[in-house]
Amino acid sequence: MPPPIDIYLGDVVQMRKGHPCGGDTWRVVRLGAEIGIRCLTCERKVLLPRAEFERRVKRFVERGPDAPLAS
């Protein structure tokens, strides 16, 4: 089992599957057992279980303001 991904509020992620509105980039708005994400195209909010979120993330477009700086 791979280690969990570090996720921070405000992260912008690209998901593997596109949203029906045509967007594929989302902003993380809630952390916990379920991850809340908001579509940047249509502003729809979706809750995903953490394990499903980690499977569906393709890449991080932008890290949130709470993310530690890379050294």
Side-chain angles (χ1 to χ4, degrees):
M1 187 155 139
I5 299 172
D6 289 330
I7 305 165
Y8 300 97
L9 280 177
D11 283 353
V12 177
V13 296
Q14 182 179 21
M15 304 300 271
R16 294 192 185 280
K17 287 179 67 176
H19 191 239
C21 73
D24 66 348
T25 52
W26 300 76
R27 181 172 311 276
V28 176
V29 295
R30 181 181 185 272
L31 296 174
E34 293 182 326
I35 307 296
I37 55 177
R38 185 173 298 275
C39 179
L40 294 180
T41 304
C42 69
E43 299 294 319
R44 170 79 62 173
K45 186 176 176 187
V46 177
L47 286 174
L48 293 174
R50 182 177 282 267
E52 186 174 340
F53 174 83
E54 290 184 4
R55 276 195 312 270
R56 289 187 178 190
V57 168
K58 186 173 186 178
R59 69 183 181 99
F60 285 90
V61 176
E62 176 185 322
R63 296 302 276 191
D66 295 337
L69 299 175
S71 43

